[in-house]
Amino acid sequence: PAGPAGRAGTSSVVDAVVLATATPDHPCPATAPALAARLGLGQVPAFDIGAVCSGFVYGLAVCHGLIVSGLYDRVLLVGADAYSTWLDPGDRATGVVFGDGAGAALIGAGGPGDPGELLAFDLGSDGTGYGLVTVEGGGSRARSRPGPAVEGDQYFRMRGQTVYQHAVERMTGSCRSLLRTVGWHADQVDHFVPHQANGRILRSVAERLGIGEERCVIHLDRVGNTGAASLPLALADGAARERFRAGDRMLLTAFGGGLTWGTAALRWPETRVPAGPGPGGTRRREPKGTEENGRDGTS
């Protein structure tokens, strides 16, 4: 199995880097190789994933595949977005919703049944909704049009009400499908971690699934919608608050432009309490590094 290898520290070996982002440094080249270089990881393979807010779930699936295939043992998955760079300052509908953020997880090889095991995924897309979440300018399509650039095309646009309906339906359907795949009932989910889009969407999806608010991991009220970073940030926040225990059943889901959506089922990794206090003077439970017991999965 494959899954989060825990709070690994700077000495851990990384075989590859996957960066989920909708706001790369440049249209060309990809940002992941520069990130790997800045982290001092040497000449490891590194590439970007562009699935907007679904990027971290897509990234988990890609990392799982890289490890289960036997190609690599440990892959660093990063979700990072800087929405402030493309928001229209005059558009209050988006300016008050989004934030900048980054989060990461080290995915490593493990054994079947290990805490932290990535169990299954459900991914999907619908290109007929391509224009519902978009930045029109900056790409090859805009550059190939005759005439000057259209004013405002450099800004992020979203058709809020239609996106809301799609997000609720797609995430709910994806979660139900994956729950059937892994054989869990909604009552057996210990923690539901949705992409932190907005409060209405999160509550609607949880209610449709029959998952109570006490089992929902919510970080949105403090940081906003941080795109591909929202899931790792929500997980880090929950871990810092000592909400999770080894083996807890976790259901992660996300929806983004494209349209794209995805859901992942995993078990939370083993944890240990460090000697000193964590941020804010609280003691933090810290995941152990994963023992590499074979390539039949990831943890």
Side-chain angles (χ1 to χ4, degrees):
R7 209 168 210 11
T10 56
S11 62
S12 295
V13 174
V14 172
D15 300 317
V17 176
V18 177
L19 171 63
T21 184
T23 59
D25 290 348
H26 304 93
C28 176
T31 303
L35 173 62
R38 291 198 297 269
L39 292 174
L41 298 179
Q43 299 179 354
V44 299
F47 58 92
D48 292 3
I49 291 179
V52 196
C53 297
S54 304
F56 194 78
V57 175
Y58 270 60
L60 283 174
V62 169
C63 293
H64 180 274
L66 291 173
I67 292 170
V68 171
S69 70
L71 193 57
Y72 303 114
D73 285 330
R74 296 164 77 85
V75 182
L76 180 65
L77 171 61
V78 179
D81 275 312
Y83 276 105
S84 63
T85 61
W86 66 11
L87 291 177
D88 183 348
D91 182 4
R92 296 289 294 171
T94 57
V96 299
V97 174
F98 292 92
D100 297 344
L106 184 60
I107 313 301
D114 284 353
E117 182 179 1
L118 287 168
L119 299 171
F121 302 91
D122 180 87
L123 306 176
S125 75
D126 180 4
T128 64
Y130 185 81
L132 295 177
V133 182
T134 186
V135 177
E136 290 287 348
S140 58
R141 178 174 293 188
R143 290 193 296 272
S144 66
R145 291 196 301 254
V150 178
E151 184 178 358
D153 269 7
Q154 74 272 29
Y155 292 129
F156 175 86
R157 306 294 182 193
M158 180 175 63
R159 300 181 192 175
Q161 188 57 42
T162 304
V163 170
Y164 168 84
Q165 295 169 354
H166 277 284
V168 172
E169 292 174 6
R170 300 301 191 180
M171 285 196 288
T172 301
S174 181
C175 286
R176 286 173 173 165
S177 176
L178 192 61
L179 287 173
R180 289 193 295 269
T181 298
V182 297
W184 293 352
H185 188 273
D187 289 343
Q188 295 176 300
V189 175
D190 296 305
H191 306 285
F192 178 53
V193 192
H195 161 55
Q196 309 289 293
N198 70 50
R200 289 178 59 219
I201 291 176
L202 306 189
R203 288 190 294 271
S204 294
V205 174
E207 183 177 344
R208 292 187 180 199
L209 293 173
I211 296 177
E213 185 175 352
E214 73 282 356
R215 288 183 285 148
C216 296
V217 178
I218 306 298
H219 194 227
L220 170 73
D221 53 335
R222 279 159 283 156
V223 300
N225 181 347
T226 54
S230 78
L231 284 178
L233 287 177
L235 289 170
D237 183 71
R241 296 170 183 272
E242 301 188 8
R243 290 189 59 169
F244 312 144
R245 296 294 181 268
D248 280 358
R249 295 183 176 93
M250 317 286 290
L251 188 67
L252 283 57
T253 190
F255 174 88
L259 301 170
T260 62
W261 58 88
T263 304
L266 60 94
R267 292 185 179 274
W268 190 250
E270 291 183 7
T271 59
R272 59 184 172 84
V273 179
T282 60
R283 294 179 65 83
R284 178 181 299 224
R285 297 181 64 85
E286 190 166 317
K288 295 178 180 177
T290 301
E291 295 296 328
E292 298 182 3
N293 298 324
R295 296 180 181 272
D296 50 355
T298 53
S299 295

